[in-house]
């Protein structure tokens, strides 16, 4: 079974840091872009950061300069280092990847990890 598994969420005070990890497993032939999305209560899911297989990155304006996305292609993993966290960063964070399996290309989502930032 092909899946993404996230870890690293939790409760942190404003100004603190957290590092999210996401690892892919299963019979994956190739992975293109990987990214992190978040969804706060009552709001739509939004892109936080994305990274291509070549290492090009893209960030939401609200997290630029505070968050850093990286990936390890050998481990089929993506990471999100979050610094200077704010209460408005509180959300469920989801890992996302474009993966190729024996059935073709498709979009894969993790189960989500809760990040709570207290003021």
């Amino acid at each position: 079974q092909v899946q993404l598994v996230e870890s690293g969420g939790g409760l942190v005070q404003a100004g603190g840091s957290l590092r999210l990890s996401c690892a892919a497993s299963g019979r994956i032939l190739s992975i293109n872009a990987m990214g992190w999305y978040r969804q706060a209560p009552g709001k739509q899911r939004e892109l936080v950061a994305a990274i291509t297989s070549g290492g090009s990155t893209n960030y939401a304006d609200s997290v630029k300069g505070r968050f850093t996305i990286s990936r390890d292609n050998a481990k089929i993993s993506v990471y999100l280092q979050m610094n200077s966290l704010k209460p408005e960063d509180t959300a469920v964070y989801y890992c996302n990847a474009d993966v190729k399996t024996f059935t073709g290309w498709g979009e894969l989502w993790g189960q989500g990890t809760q990040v709570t930032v207290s003021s």
Side-chain angles (χ1 to χ4, degrees):
Q1 180 182 0
V2 178
Q3 60 180 352
L4 297 175
V5 179
E6 300 119 333
S7 61
L11 173 65
V12 64
Q13 288 187 331
S17 298
L18 282 175
R19 185 174 188 254
L20 304 183
S21 299
C22 173
S25 63
R27 304 191 73 179
I28 296 172
L29 301 179
S30 182
I31 291 186
N32 195 0
M34 302 184 79
W36 290 93
Y37 288 71
R38 67 187 180 187
Q39 187 166 20
K43 295 187 177 181
Q44 289 189 331
R45 189 172 298 188
E46 62 174 358
L47 174 68
V48 176
I51 185 168
T52 67
S53 57
S56 296
T57 59
N58 181 42
Y59 295 93
D61 289 342
S62 59
V63 306
K64 284 181 180 177
R66 300 187 297 121
F67 290 11
T68 302
I69 189 171
S70 60
R71 65 189 284 170
D72 184 330
N73 290 328
K75 295 182 179 180
I76 321 179
S77 297
V78 63
Y79 310 96
L80 186 68
Q81 178 65 43
M82 305 185 293
N83 299 327
S84 302
L85 282 160
K86 304 175 181 180
E88 50 264 44
D89 295 318
T90 295
V92 178
Y93 283 70
Y94 297 90
C95 178
N96 171 273
D98 294 326
V99 301
K100 183 179 182 180
T101 66
F102 287 105
T103 59
W105 284 97
E107 189 176 37
L108 201 60
W109 290 92
Q111 80 284 359
T113 185
Q114 177 69 46
V115 171
T116 302
V117 184
S118 63
S119 57

